[in-house]
Structure formats: structure tokens, C-alpha cells
Amino acid sequence: MDITIRASFLPYDDPGASLAFYRDVLGFEVRGDMGRDGMRRLTVGPVGQAGTSVVLHPVADDPELLLATSDLDSVFERLQAHAEVIQEPIEQPYGIRDCAFLDPAGNMIRVQELR
């Protein structure tokens, strides 16, 4: 099974302070900024590593992990025997094919198909 980490989700208390830290201190590039005020989701990542991101989200959002694979169907077949399926593989309206399941602690894990 060929799986990579696509994105990690980290909560914030202050979106401006978090953005300043990841952008200005760590030197990450800003890849997305959705929402407003305390409900913003900010996507940042290391320059030159487009396949790996950190999504900064409000503390109230549920945490999740985003993985990626070139063979989503095989990964799904293996995982459905060992984890609670939340969503079977489907083509999302925003152009990503993915599935979702829960780990043993109840954390949502999404797996995207690399294209």
C-alpha cells in the first residue's frame, strides 16, 4: 500500500498569529485562506513541497488527517475490513476522488486519489 501524508490539520486560537508563525517564522507559503474571522481555514506548506500541507483551523472544528495514494480502490478495500467507513470512494464536486473512515480513537482519516 503506497500512502503519503497529504495534510495535517492543526487547531488555532488566533488565525493571525498562527498565519504569521507559519508564514513569517517558518517560511511556509500560503496556499489557501477560506472563511473569515475566527472561522478561517488556512492552508500553508513548505516551499517546493506542493504535496504536503498544514491546514490551520478553528479549535471548534473536528481534527482530521488527509492521506493520498495512487490506488484509492485498493487502499479502500484493505481499510474497510479494519475501520469504520464514513464515505466510500466518490468523485467530489471540487475535483478530488476520496474516501473517509475513522481510526480506532474516532478520528476521521480522508484518503485522496493522486492524479
Side-chain angles (χ1 to χ4, degrees), residues 16-86:
S18 290
L19 181 60
F21 175 79
Y22 285 92
R23 182 190 58 212
D24 303 336
V25 176
L26 292 179
F28 284 9
E29 62 187 359
V30 178
R31 298 183 182 151
D33 187 345
M34 297 184 342
R36 60 186 165 159
D37 303 323
M39 295 308 294
R40 290 167 66 189
R41 274 195 167 201
L42 304 158
T43 304
V44 298
V47 175
Q49 296 181 40
T52 304
S53 297
V54 174
V55 179
L56 305 168
H57 64 87
V59 173
D61 275 359
D62 290 329
E64 64 183 85
L65 179 64
L66 183 56
L67 305 175
T69 183
S70 58
D71 189 356
L72 184 64
D73 294 320
S74 292
V75 169
F76 179 77
E77 287 298 319
R78 179 180 171 112
L79 292 174
Q80 73 175 345
H82 303 283
E84 181 180 346
V85 174
I86 300 300

Side-chain angles (χ1 to χ4, degrees), residues 5 9 15 17 34 49 60 68 70 81 85 96-98 102 106 112:
I5 296 174
F9 289 69
M34 297 184 342
Q49 296 181 40
S70 58
V85 174
I96 298 290
R97 184 168 180 260
D98 69 356
L102 297 178
Q112 291 182 340

